[in-house]
Amino acid sequence: MGSPHNPFTGALLEIRRIRGQGLLQEGAVDRHIDDHRAGLHEFEIFAGDELDSGLIDYIRELKQIYRIAMLSNAPSDARNSIIEKWHMDDAFDLIIISADVGLMKPDPAIYELTLEQLGFEPHETAFIDDFSENIKAARQLG
């Protein structure tokens, strides 16, 4: 998300420290876009995202046996994409978006919040992530 010029834009976006025009200006600088007034629909931050429907179907199967939570470092509008664009919200019992709660992985507080909302202790859960630093932080909680 960030660039060599501003490596923190992605993190700022994820925890909602910049919004609206600020996001566009930061992103425009990162991507050398001349028109800072472009709308988010034109900016297409997540244009390359694709849904792995096989994985979502598998998660739906697991949900018949287990409680499933999605914990995502993402901007607030990610929830709309999960529901309206990808139609996968039914695969999860709980969806926590970092920007909505003002925390992001690997901060232990976001894992604790997720556990609290699920009603489980750390030793009763499995955590799967694509970044080793997030797994390490979760493992430290037990």
Side-chain angles (χ1 to χ4, degrees):
M1 181 70 204
S3 74
H5 301 289
N6 186 351
F8 300 105
T9 301
L12 293 172
L13 172 63
E14 290 168 346
I15 59 173
R16 193 194 265 173
R17 296 285 188 246
I18 57 176
R19 297 179 42 184
Q21 192 63 28
L23 163 64
L24 293 175
Q25 289 173 352
E26 287 288 327
V29 169
D30 278 359
R31 289 167 181 72
H32 307 288
I33 296 171
D34 293 330
D35 185 6
H36 293 216
R37 293 162 296 175
L40 282 176
H41 63 281
E42 296 172 21
F43 194 59
E44 297 184 15
I45 297 171
F46 303 105
D49 288 354
E50 293 182 25
L51 180 67
D52 182 338
S53 59
L55 176 60
I56 297 303
D57 288 343
Y58 181 63
I59 292 170
R60 285 184 178 111
E61 289 178 29
L62 291 174
K63 188 180 171 211
Q64 296 174 24
I65 303 167
Y66 304 104
R67 293 209 34 165
I68 306 287
M70 174 191 287
L71 174 55
S72 180
N73 283 352
S76 289
D77 61 351
R79 186 175 305 276
N80 290 338
S81 292
I82 291 166
I83 296 167
E84 296 172 16
K85 179 180 177 184
W86 296 318
H87 308 284
M88 65 177 185
D89 55 305
D90 65 310
F92 305 95
D93 295 295
L94 173 67
I95 298 172
I96 294 182
I97 306 295
S98 60
D100 292 343
V101 297
L103 300 165
M104 64 185 282
K105 300 178 286 183
D107 184 339
I110 198 164
Y111 303 116
E112 292 167 349
L113 175 69
T114 304
L115 289 167
E116 178 183 314
Q117 289 192 17
L118 281 173
F120 287 104
E121 295 295 321
H123 70 275
E124 300 173 307
T125 64
F127 177 72
I128 300 167
D129 201 278
D130 54 346
F131 290 102
S132 61
E133 62 269 17
N134 294 340
I135 293 170
K136 181 180 177 183
R139 186 175 288 140
Q140 289 175 346
L141 286 176

mmCIF file of all heavy atoms in Angstrom, residues 54-99:
data_model
loop_
_atom_site.group_PDB
_atom_site.id
_atom_site.type_symbol
_atom_site.label_atom_id
_atom_site.label_comp_id
_atom_site.label_asym_id
_atom_site.label_seq_id
_atom_site.Cartn_x
_atom_site.Cartn_y
_atom_site.Cartn_z
ATOM 1 N N GLY A 54 -13.123 -20.875 -3.704
ATOM 2 C CA GLY A 54 -12.903 -22.195 -3.116
ATOM 3 C C GLY A 54 -12.578 -22.095 -1.635
ATOM 4 O O GLY A 54 -13.070 -22.894 -0.819
ATOM 5 N N LEU A 55 -11.742 -21.131 -1.284
ATOM 6 C CA LEU A 55 -11.388 -20.926 0.115
ATOM 7 C C LEU A 55 -12.615 -20.492 0.913
ATOM 8 O O LEU A 55 -12.856 -20.996 2.013
ATOM 9 C CB LEU A 55 -10.271 -19.884 0.241
ATOM 10 C CG LEU A 55 -9.868 -19.513 1.667
ATOM 11 C CD1 LEU A 55 -9.361 -20.724 2.434
ATOM 12 C CD2 LEU A 55 -8.820 -18.409 1.641
ATOM 13 N N ILE A 56 -13.399 -19.582 0.373
ATOM 14 C CA ILE A 56 -14.596 -19.115 1.081
ATOM 15 C C ILE A 56 -15.583 -20.266 1.268
ATOM 16 O O ILE A 56 -16.189 -20.414 2.332
ATOM 17 C CB ILE A 56 -15.245 -17.919 0.348
ATOM 18 C CG1 ILE A 56 -14.262 -16.733 0.325
ATOM 19 C CG2 ILE A 56 -16.557 -17.519 1.016
ATOM 20 C CD1 ILE A 56 -13.777 -16.267 1.684
ATOM 21 N N ASP A 57 -15.743 -21.118 0.261
ATOM 22 C CA ASP A 57 -16.624 -22.288 0.400
ATOM 23 C C ASP A 57 -16.112 -23.213 1.507
ATOM 24 O O ASP A 57 -16.903 -23.750 2.297
ATOM 25 C CB ASP A 57 -16.724 -23.051 -0.920
ATOM 26 C CG ASP A 57 -17.540 -22.304 -1.961
ATOM 27 O OD1 ASP A 57 -18.295 -21.373 -1.593
ATOM 28 O OD2 ASP A 57 -17.415 -22.638 -3.162
ATOM 29 N N TYR A 58 -14.795 -23.385 1.583
ATOM 30 C CA TYR A 58 -14.206 -24.211 2.630
ATOM 31 C C TYR A 58 -14.458 -23.596 4.006
ATOM 32 O O TYR A 58 -14.795 -24.308 4.959
ATOM 33 C CB TYR A 58 -12.711 -24.392 2.381
ATOM 34 C CG TYR A 58 -12.022 -25.248 3.409
ATOM 35 C CD1 TYR A 58 -12.368 -26.590 3.565
ATOM 36 C CD2 TYR A 58 -11.033 -24.717 4.217
ATOM 37 C CE1 TYR A 58 -11.734 -27.382 4.517
ATOM 38 C CE2 TYR A 58 -10.393 -25.504 5.156
ATOM 39 C CZ TYR A 58 -10.752 -26.836 5.317
ATOM 40 O OH TYR A 58 -10.124 -27.608 6.255
ATOM 41 N N ILE A 59 -14.314 -22.285 4.120
ATOM 42 C CA ILE A 59 -14.578 -21.600 5.387
ATOM 43 C C ILE A 59 -16.049 -21.780 5.767
ATOM 44 O O ILE A 59 -16.370 -22.008 6.938
ATOM 45 C CB ILE A 59 -14.187 -20.108 5.298
ATOM 46 C CG1 ILE A 59 -12.673 -19.983 5.165
ATOM 47 C CG2 ILE A 59 -14.693 -19.327 6.508
ATOM 48 C CD1 ILE A 59 -12.186 -18.586 4.827
ATOM 49 N N ARG A 60 -16.947 -21.711 4.809
ATOM 50 C CA ARG A 60 -18.377 -21.948 5.086
ATOM 51 C C ARG A 60 -18.600 -23.352 5.647
ATOM 52 O O ARG A 60 -19.427 -23.543 6.548
ATOM 53 C CB ARG A 60 -19.201 -21.727 3.825
ATOM 54 C CG ARG A 60 -19.375 -20.270 3.459
ATOM 55 C CD ARG A 60 -20.287 -20.103 2.239
ATOM 56 N NE ARG A 60 -20.470 -18.701 1.935
ATOM 57 C CZ ARG A 60 -19.964 -18.094 0.848
ATOM 58 N NH1 ARG A 60 -19.278 -18.787 -0.057
ATOM 59 N NH2 ARG A 60 -20.170 -16.810 0.662
ATOM 60 N N GLU A 61 -17.880 -24.330 5.116
ATOM 61 C CA GLU A 61 -17.986 -25.707 5.639
ATOM 62 C C GLU A 61 -17.476 -25.766 7.075
ATOM 63 O O GLU A 61 -18.096 -26.398 7.940
ATOM 64 C CB GLU A 61 -17.186 -26.675 4.766
ATOM 65 C CG GLU A 61 -17.792 -26.939 3.407
ATOM 66 C CD GLU A 61 -16.928 -27.865 2.567
ATOM 67 O OE1 GLU A 61 -16.200 -28.715 3.132
ATOM 68 O OE2 GLU A 61 -16.973 -27.732 1.328
ATOM 69 N N LEU A 62 -16.340 -25.129 7.330
ATOM 70 C CA LEU A 62 -15.779 -25.115 8.681
ATOM 71 C C LEU A 62 -16.719 -24.432 9.662
ATOM 72 O O LEU A 62 -16.804 -24.827 10.829
ATOM 73 C CB LEU A 62 -14.419 -24.415 8.688
ATOM 74 C CG LEU A 62 -13.276 -25.140 7.985
ATOM 75 C CD1 LEU A 62 -12.036 -24.263 7.957
ATOM 76 C CD2 LEU A 62 -12.987 -26.478 8.661
ATOM 77 N N LYS A 63 -17.443 -23.440 9.200
ATOM 78 C CA LYS A 63 -18.353 -22.696 10.065
ATOM 79 C C LYS A 63 -19.495 -23.576 10.583
ATOM 80 O O LYS A 63 -20.094 -23.277 11.605
ATOM 81 C CB LYS A 63 -18.915 -21.476 9.315
ATOM 82 C CG LYS A 63 -19.721 -20.557 10.209
ATOM 83 C CD LYS A 63 -20.246 -19.376 9.447
ATOM 84 C CE LYS A 63 -21.210 -18.612 10.321
ATOM 85 N NZ LYS A 63 -22.250 -17.978 9.566
ATOM 86 N N GLN A 64 -19.776 -24.660 9.910
ATOM 87 C CA GLN A 64 -20.803 -25.588 10.388
ATOM 88 C C GLN A 64 -20.355 -26.307 11.670
ATOM 89 O O GLN A 64 -21.185 -26.805 12.423
ATOM 90 C CB GLN A 64 -21.148 -26.602 9.307
ATOM 91 C CG GLN A 64 -21.779 -25.964 8.088
ATOM 92 C CD GLN A 64 -21.998 -26.950 6.954
ATOM 93 O OE1 GLN A 64 -22.109 -28.146 7.176
ATOM 94 N NE2 GLN A 64 -22.073 -26.434 5.736
ATOM 95 N N ILE A 65 -19.044 -26.330 11.903
ATOM 96 C CA ILE A 65 -18.480 -27.019 13.062
ATOM 97 C C ILE A 65 -17.882 -26.033 14.072
ATOM 98 O O ILE A 65 -18.002 -26.219 15.273
ATOM 99 C CB ILE A 65 -17.380 -28.010 12.609
ATOM 100 C CG1 ILE A 65 -17.959 -29.002 11.611
ATOM 101 C CG2 ILE A 65 -16.755 -28.724 13.793
ATOM 102 C CD1 ILE A 65 -16.905 -29.815 10.886
ATOM 103 N N TYR A 66 -17.223 -24.989 13.557
ATOM 104 C CA TYR A 66 -16.486 -24.056 14.392
ATOM 105 C C TYR A 66 -17.060 -22.644 14.283
ATOM 106 O O TYR A 66 -17.721 -22.309 13.312
ATOM 107 C CB TYR A 66 -15.012 -23.995 13.943
ATOM 108 C CG TYR A 66 -14.323 -25.336 13.943
ATOM 109 C CD1 TYR A 66 -14.087 -26.017 12.759
ATOM 110 C CD2 TYR A 66 -13.883 -25.901 15.132
ATOM 111 C CE1 TYR A 66 -13.442 -27.249 12.753
ATOM 112 C CE2 TYR A 66 -13.232 -27.130 15.141
ATOM 113 C CZ TYR A 66 -13.027 -27.794 13.942
ATOM 114 O OH TYR A 66 -12.388 -28.995 13.947
ATOM 115 N N ARG A 67 -16.728 -21.829 15.286
ATOM 116 C CA ARG A 67 -16.988 -20.388 15.163
ATOM 117 C C ARG A 67 -15.822 -19.804 14.384
ATOM 118 O O ARG A 67 -14.666 -20.095 14.669
ATOM 119 C CB ARG A 67 -17.098 -19.746 16.537
ATOM 120 C CG ARG A 67 -18.334 -20.264 17.255
ATOM 121 C CD ARG A 67 -18.915 -19.321 18.215
ATOM 122 N NE ARG A 67 -18.760 -17.946 17.751
ATOM 123 C CZ ARG A 67 -19.410 -16.919 18.238
ATOM 124 N NH1 ARG A 67 -20.255 -17.087 19.180
ATOM 125 N NH2 ARG A 67 -19.212 -15.714 17.795
ATOM 126 N N ILE A 68 -16.129 -18.972 13.399
ATOM 127 C CA ILE A 68 -15.115 -18.427 12.497
ATOM 128 C C ILE A 68 -15.153 -16.902 12.556
ATOM 129 O O ILE A 68 -16.215 -16.296 12.427
ATOM 130 C CB ILE A 68 -15.354 -18.877 11.044
ATOM 131 C CG1 ILE A 68 -15.465 -20.392 10.930
ATOM 132 C CG2 ILE A 68 -14.289 -18.293 10.118
ATOM 133 C CD1 ILE A 68 -14.167 -21.135 11.085
ATOM 134 N N ALA A 69 -13.981 -16.298 12.730
ATOM 135 C CA ALA A 69 -13.877 -14.838 12.729
ATOM 136 C C ALA A 69 -12.911 -14.401 11.640
ATOM 137 O O ALA A 69 -11.921 -15.074 11.362
ATOM 138 C CB ALA A 69 -13.384 -14.329 14.082
ATOM 139 N N MET A 70 -13.219 -13.284 11.029
ATOM 140 C CA MET A 70 -12.278 -12.618 10.127
ATOM 141 C C MET A 70 -11.734 -11.412 10.883
ATOM 142 O O MET A 70 -12.497 -10.584 11.378
ATOM 143 C CB MET A 70 -12.966 -12.133 8.851
ATOM 144 C CG MET A 70 -12.028 -11.308 7.965
ATOM 145 S SD MET A 70 -12.838 -10.454 6.607
ATOM 146 C CE MET A 70 -13.190 -11.824 5.532
ATOM 147 N N LEU A 71 -10.430 -11.324 10.964
ATOM 148 C CA LEU A 71 -9.745 -10.205 11.601
ATOM 149 C C LEU A 71 -8.854 -9.595 10.536
ATOM 150 O O LEU A 71 -7.855 -10.190 10.146
ATOM 151 C CB LEU A 71 -8.932 -10.704 12.800
ATOM 152 C CG LEU A 71 -8.036 -9.712 13.508
ATOM 153 C CD1 LEU A 71 -8.813 -8.490 13.957
ATOM 154 C CD2 LEU A 71 -7.348 -10.388 14.677
ATOM 155 N N SER A 72 -9.231 -8.425 10.041
ATOM 156 C CA SER A 72 -8.549 -7.865 8.884
ATOM 157 C C SER A 72 -8.009 -6.469 9.149
ATOM 158 O O SER A 72 -8.730 -5.603 9.652
ATOM 159 C CB SER A 72 -9.526 -7.814 7.704
ATOM 160 O OG SER A 72 -8.896 -7.284 6.562
ATOM 161 N N ASN A 73 -6.740 -6.252 8.799
ATOM 162 C CA ASN A 73 -6.184 -4.907 8.764
ATOM 163 C C ASN A 73 -6.667 -4.269 7.470
ATOM 164 O O ASN A 73 -6.111 -4.532 6.408
ATOM 165 C CB ASN A 73 -4.650 -4.945 8.781
ATOM 166 C CG ASN A 73 -4.091 -5.241 10.149
ATOM 167 O OD1 ASN A 73 -4.806 -5.280 11.135
ATOM 168 N ND2 ASN A 73 -2.796 -5.461 10.216
ATOM 169 N N ALA A 74 -7.709 -3.482 7.583
ATOM 170 C CA ALA A 74 -8.336 -2.923 6.388
ATOM 171 C C ALA A 74 -9.066 -1.628 6.729
ATOM 172 O O ALA A 74 -9.376 -1.369 7.887
ATOM 173 C CB ALA A 74 -9.320 -3.934 5.805
ATOM 174 N N PRO A 75 -9.351 -0.817 5.720
ATOM 175 C CA PRO A 75 -10.138 0.405 5.941
ATOM 176 C C PRO A 75 -11.599 0.055 6.195
ATOM 177 O O PRO A 75 -12.058 -1.058 5.897
ATOM 178 C CB PRO A 75 -9.974 1.182 4.629
ATOM 179 C CG PRO A 75 -9.674 0.133 3.616
ATOM 180 C CD PRO A 75 -8.917 -0.940 4.325
ATOM 181 N N SER A 76 -12.338 0.997 6.741
ATOM 182 C CA SER A 76 -13.744 0.771 7.097
ATOM 183 C C SER A 76 -14.586 0.286 5.940
ATOM 184 O O SER A 76 -15.484 -0.524 6.115
ATOM 185 C CB SER A 76 -14.367 2.047 7.658
ATOM 186 O OG SER A 76 -13.841 2.315 8.922
ATOM 187 N N ASP A 77 -14.337 0.773 4.739
ATOM 188 C CA ASP A 77 -15.192 0.385 3.615
ATOM 189 C C ASP A 77 -14.963 -1.059 3.177
ATOM 190 O O ASP A 77 -15.683 -1.576 2.335
ATOM 191 C CB ASP A 77 -15.050 1.346 2.447
ATOM 192 C CG ASP A 77 -13.649 1.424 1.876
ATOM 193 O OD1 ASP A 77 -12.715 0.859 2.487
ATOM 194 O OD2 ASP A 77 -13.482 2.066 0.831
ATOM 195 N N ALA A 78 -14.002 -1.745 3.786
ATOM 196 C CA ALA A 78 -13.786 -3.157 3.470
ATOM 197 C C ALA A 78 -15.013 -3.991 3.824
ATOM 198 O O ALA A 78 -15.345 -4.942 3.123
ATOM 199 C CB ALA A 78 -12.567 -3.693 4.204
ATOM 200 N N ARG A 79 -15.713 -3.621 4.890
ATOM 201 C CA ARG A 79 -16.916 -4.355 5.286
ATOM 202 C C ARG A 79 -17.952 -4.324 4.163
ATOM 203 O O ARG A 79 -18.603 -5.324 3.872
ATOM 204 C CB ARG A 79 -17.500 -3.788 6.577
ATOM 205 C CG ARG A 79 -18.669 -4.607 7.119
ATOM 206 C CD ARG A 79 -19.148 -4.079 8.462
ATOM 207 N NE ARG A 79 -18.094 -3.994 9.452
ATOM 208 C CZ ARG A 79 -17.683 -4.999 10.220
ATOM 209 N NH1 ARG A 79 -18.254 -6.174 10.104
ATOM 210 N NH2 ARG A 79 -16.725 -4.828 11.102
ATOM 211 N N ASN A 80 -18.094 -3.167 3.506
ATOM 212 C CA ASN A 80 -19.035 -3.078 2.385
ATOM 213 C C ASN A 80 -18.636 -4.023 1.263
ATOM 214 O O ASN A 80 -19.493 -4.667 0.656
ATOM 215 C CB ASN A 80 -19.121 -1.645 1.859
ATOM 216 C CG ASN A 80 -19.811 -0.723 2.832
ATOM 217 O OD1 ASN A 80 -20.568 -1.158 3.686
ATOM 218 N ND2 ASN A 80 -19.533 0.556 2.724
ATOM 219 N N SER A 81 -17.346 -4.116 0.971
ATOM 220 C CA SER A 81 -16.888 -5.033 -0.067
ATOM 221 C C SER A 81 -17.158 -6.478 0.320
ATOM 222 O O SER A 81 -17.578 -7.285 -0.508
ATOM 223 C CB SER A 81 -15.397 -4.843 -0.341
ATOM 224 O OG SER A 81 -15.162 -3.596 -0.943
ATOM 225 N N ILE A 82 -16.907 -6.815 1.579
ATOM 226 C CA ILE A 82 -17.146 -8.177 2.059
ATOM 227 C C ILE A 82 -18.612 -8.566 1.872
ATOM 228 O O ILE A 82 -18.918 -9.685 1.457
ATOM 229 C CB ILE A 82 -16.732 -8.290 3.549
ATOM 230 C CG1 ILE A 82 -15.218 -8.182 3.663
ATOM 231 C CG2 ILE A 82 -17.266 -9.574 4.179
ATOM 232 C CD1 ILE A 82 -14.720 -7.943 5.076
ATOM 233 N N ILE A 83 -19.500 -7.626 2.140
ATOM 234 C CA ILE A 83 -20.934 -7.899 2.072
ATOM 235 C C ILE A 83 -21.486 -7.731 0.658
ATOM 236 O O ILE A 83 -22.134 -8.638 0.126
ATOM 237 C CB ILE A 83 -21.695 -6.978 3.051
ATOM 238 C CG1 ILE A 83 -21.281 -7.306 4.494
ATOM 239 C CG2 ILE A 83 -23.208 -7.109 2.867
ATOM 240 C CD1 ILE A 83 -21.726 -6.275 5.515
ATOM 241 N N GLU A 84 -21.230 -6.588 0.047
ATOM 242 C CA GLU A 84 -21.898 -6.241 -1.214
ATOM 243 C C GLU A 84 -21.162 -6.710 -2.467
ATOM 244 O O GLU A 84 -21.797 -7.078 -3.448
ATOM 245 C CB GLU A 84 -22.111 -4.734 -1.275
ATOM 246 C CG GLU A 84 -23.052 -4.234 -0.177
ATOM 247 C CD GLU A 84 -23.126 -2.723 -0.099
ATOM 248 O OE1 GLU A 84 -22.710 -2.043 -1.060
ATOM 249 O OE2 GLU A 84 -23.590 -2.222 0.944
ATOM 250 N N LYS A 85 -19.844 -6.691 -2.443
ATOM 251 C CA LYS A 85 -19.085 -7.070 -3.639
ATOM 252 C C LYS A 85 -18.803 -8.566 -3.674
ATOM 253 O O LYS A 85 -18.985 -9.222 -4.693
ATOM 254 C CB LYS A 85 -17.770 -6.284 -3.690
ATOM 255 C CG LYS A 85 -16.896 -6.621 -4.882
ATOM 256 C CD LYS A 85 -15.608 -5.801 -4.874
ATOM 257 C CE LYS A 85 -14.704 -6.185 -6.030
ATOM 258 N NZ LYS A 85 -13.418 -5.462 -5.967
ATOM 259 N N TRP A 86 -18.325 -9.107 -2.541
ATOM 260 C CA TRP A 86 -17.880 -10.490 -2.520
ATOM 261 C C TRP A 86 -18.912 -11.447 -1.922
ATOM 262 O O TRP A 86 -18.739 -12.656 -2.009
ATOM 263 C CB TRP A 86 -16.548 -10.601 -1.792
ATOM 264 C CG TRP A 86 -15.450 -9.866 -2.498
ATOM 265 C CD1 TRP A 86 -15.217 -9.841 -3.842
ATOM 266 C CD2 TRP A 86 -14.445 -9.050 -1.921
ATOM 267 N NE1 TRP A 86 -14.128 -9.057 -4.134
ATOM 268 C CE2 TRP A 86 -13.626 -8.557 -2.969
ATOM 269 C CE3 TRP A 86 -14.132 -8.678 -0.623
ATOM 270 C CZ2 TRP A 86 -12.535 -7.734 -2.746
ATOM 271 C CZ3 TRP A 86 -13.047 -7.859 -0.416
ATOM 272 C CH2 TRP A 86 -12.263 -7.397 -1.463
ATOM 273 N N HIS A 87 -19.923 -10.933 -1.258
ATOM 274 C CA HIS A 87 -21.013 -11.752 -0.694
ATOM 275 C C HIS A 87 -20.470 -12.919 0.134
ATOM 276 O O HIS A 87 -20.887 -14.062 -0.040
ATOM 277 C CB HIS A 87 -21.934 -12.262 -1.807
ATOM 278 C CG HIS A 87 -22.423 -11.182 -2.710
ATOM 279 N ND1 HIS A 87 -23.412 -10.298 -2.328
ATOM 280 C CD2 HIS A 87 -22.036 -10.811 -3.951
ATOM 281 C CE1 HIS A 87 -23.625 -9.435 -3.307
ATOM 282 N NE2 HIS A 87 -22.795 -9.719 -4.299
ATOM 283 N N MET A 88 -19.554 -12.613 1.033
ATOM 284 C CA MET A 88 -18.952 -13.681 1.824
ATOM 285 C C MET A 88 -19.118 -13.484 3.323
ATOM 286 O O MET A 88 -18.560 -14.244 4.114
ATOM 287 C CB MET A 88 -17.468 -13.834 1.480
ATOM 288 C CG MET A 88 -16.615 -12.656 1.835
ATOM 289 S SD MET A 88 -14.889 -13.034 1.452
ATOM 290 C CE MET A 88 -14.108 -11.578 2.092
ATOM 291 N N ASP A 89 -19.900 -12.514 3.743
ATOM 292 C CA ASP A 89 -20.073 -12.262 5.164
ATOM 293 C C ASP A 89 -20.722 -13.443 5.886
ATOM 294 O O ASP A 89 -20.497 -13.651 7.071
ATOM 295 C CB ASP A 89 -20.847 -10.971 5.404
ATOM 296 C CG ASP A 89 -22.182 -10.936 4.701
ATOM 297 O OD1 ASP A 89 -22.212 -11.135 3.465
ATOM 298 O OD2 ASP A 89 -23.206 -10.704 5.371
ATOM 299 N N ASP A 90 -21.486 -14.255 5.163
ATOM 300 C CA ASP A 90 -22.122 -15.415 5.776
ATOM 301 C C ASP A 90 -21.120 -16.501 6.163
ATOM 302 O O ASP A 90 -21.455 -17.426 6.899
ATOM 303 C CB ASP A 90 -23.169 -15.999 4.829
ATOM 304 C CG ASP A 90 -22.549 -16.565 3.560
ATOM 305 O OD1 ASP A 90 -21.740 -15.863 2.921
ATOM 306 O OD2 ASP A 90 -22.875 -17.717 3.206
ATOM 307 N N ALA A 91 -19.895 -16.393 5.713
ATOM 308 C CA ALA A 91 -18.870 -17.378 6.036
ATOM 309 C C ALA A 91 -18.264 -17.151 7.426
ATOM 310 O O ALA A 91 -17.512 -17.989 7.911
ATOM 311 C CB ALA A 91 -17.765 -17.363 4.978
ATOM 312 N N PHE A 92 -18.630 -16.034 8.067
ATOM 313 C CA PHE A 92 -18.011 -15.664 9.336
ATOM 314 C C PHE A 92 -19.052 -15.367 10.395
ATOM 315 O O PHE A 92 -20.084 -14.752 10.122
ATOM 316 C CB PHE A 92 -17.118 -14.430 9.135
ATOM 317 C CG PHE A 92 -16.086 -14.636 8.058
ATOM 318 C CD1 PHE A 92 -16.317 -14.216 6.757
ATOM 319 C CD2 PHE A 92 -14.895 -15.289 8.344
ATOM 320 C CE1 PHE A 92 -15.384 -14.427 5.758
ATOM 321 C CE2 PHE A 92 -13.956 -15.502 7.348
ATOM 322 C CZ PHE A 92 -14.204 -15.078 6.060
ATOM 323 N N ASP A 93 -18.742 -15.772 11.621
ATOM 324 C CA ASP A 93 -19.583 -15.421 12.770
ATOM 325 C C ASP A 93 -19.287 -14.003 13.235
ATOM 326 O O ASP A 93 -20.140 -13.347 13.817
ATOM 327 C CB ASP A 93 -19.321 -16.392 13.927
ATOM 328 C CG ASP A 93 -19.739 -17.805 13.583
ATOM 329 O OD1 ASP A 93 -20.944 -18.031 13.384
ATOM 330 O OD2 ASP A 93 -18.845 -18.674 13.500
ATOM 331 N N LEU A 94 -18.075 -13.553 12.986
ATOM 332 C CA LEU A 94 -17.615 -12.248 13.455
ATOM 333 C C LEU A 94 -16.641 -11.685 12.429
ATOM 334 O O LEU A 94 -15.771 -12.409 11.942
ATOM 335 C CB LEU A 94 -16.909 -12.411 14.810
ATOM 336 C CG LEU A 94 -16.211 -11.200 15.408
ATOM 337 C CD1 LEU A 94 -17.232 -10.130 15.792
ATOM 338 C CD2 LEU A 94 -15.389 -11.615 16.627
ATOM 339 N N ILE A 95 -16.797 -10.409 12.106
ATOM 340 C CA ILE A 95 -15.862 -9.719 11.219
ATOM 341 C C ILE A 95 -15.365 -8.482 11.953
ATOM 342 O O ILE A 95 -16.156 -7.611 12.311
ATOM 343 C CB ILE A 95 -16.527 -9.318 9.884
ATOM 344 C CG1 ILE A 95 -16.999 -10.564 9.136
ATOM 345 C CG2 ILE A 95 -15.559 -8.489 9.030
ATOM 346 C CD1 ILE A 95 -17.840 -10.268 7.896
ATOM 347 N N ILE A 96 -14.067 -8.441 12.183
ATOM 348 C CA ILE A 96 -13.451 -7.269 12.817
ATOM 349 C C ILE A 96 -12.528 -6.627 11.799
ATOM 350 O O ILE A 96 -11.603 -7.266 11.287
ATOM 351 C CB ILE A 96 -12.690 -7.652 14.094
ATOM 352 C CG1 ILE A 96 -13.679 -8.152 15.141
ATOM 353 C CG2 ILE A 96 -11.878 -6.460 14.615
ATOM 354 C CD1 ILE A 96 -13.068 -8.511 16.468
ATOM 355 N N ILE A 97 -12.800 -5.364 11.521
ATOM 356 C CA ILE A 97 -12.004 -4.562 10.591
ATOM 357 C C ILE A 97 -11.186 -3.577 11.424
ATOM 358 O O ILE A 97 -11.737 -2.841 12.241
ATOM 359 C CB ILE A 97 -12.909 -3.810 9.591
ATOM 360 C CG1 ILE A 97 -13.855 -4.766 8.858
ATOM 361 C CG2 ILE A 97 -12.092 -2.957 8.639
ATOM 362 C CD1 ILE A 97 -13.186 -5.764 7.957
ATOM 363 N N SER A 98 -9.891 -3.550 11.215
ATOM 364 C CA SER A 98 -8.998 -2.732 12.031
ATOM 365 C C SER A 98 -9.428 -1.265 12.114
ATOM 366 O O SER A 98 -9.406 -0.673 13.191
ATOM 367 C CB SER A 98 -7.559 -2.840 11.519
ATOM 368 O OG SER A 98 -7.471 -2.391 10.178
ATOM 369 N N ALA A 99 -9.831 -0.687 10.991
ATOM 370 C CA ALA A 99 -10.206 0.730 11.002
ATOM 371 C C ALA A 99 -11.445 0.982 11.852
ATOM 372 O O ALA A 99 -11.593 2.053 12.438
ATOM 373 C CB ALA A 99 -10.449 1.222 9.578
#
